[in-house]
Amino acid sequence: MAHSSAQPSGPWLGALITACPLLAAAWLLAYTLLRLPFLEPLGGWNYAGPLALIIAVGLLGRVWHGDNYVRPTSTSRL
């Protein structure tokens, strides 16, 4: 397995990856349960917006770089 020399991603990227599905869920719940007046004119786009946010999570996940992980061996001490 090749080790990447890229620096770990900033914490803002993890926060964005976490916020997108939460925002998508809130959007869907607000549209279907609350029937907010500013969401009604969007019609079917109220489903496309959350879908775009979920797709963005997948794309952001491809960009994210964590710390290099070194797998412990059977002789290493934890």
Side-chain angles (χ1 to χ4, degrees), residues 27 29-43 46:
W27 189 344
L29 288 172
Y31 175 63
T32 57
L33 298 178
L34 300 178
R35 296 291 184 188
L36 299 174
F38 59 89
L39 291 177
E40 289 294 326
L42 295 176
N46 283 304

Side-chain angles (χ1 to χ4, degrees), residues 1-75:
M1 183 170 19
H3 290 284
S4 175
S5 62
Q7 294 293 321
S9 299
W12 63 270
L13 188 57
L16 190 59
I17 290 172
T18 303
C20 280
L22 295 176
L23 182 61
W27 189 344
L28 284 172
L29 288 172
Y31 175 63
T32 57
L33 298 178
L34 300 178
R35 296 291 184 188
L36 299 174
F38 59 89
L39 291 177
E40 289 294 326
L42 295 176
W45 289 103
N46 283 304
Y47 296 107
L51 179 63
L53 288 171
I54 298 300
I55 291 171
V57 170
L59 296 175
L60 290 171
R62 305 277 297 160
V63 176
W64 182 79
H65 292 287
D67 291 326
N68 286 333
Y69 176 72
V70 178
R71 185 179 201 136
T73 61
S74 60
T75 59

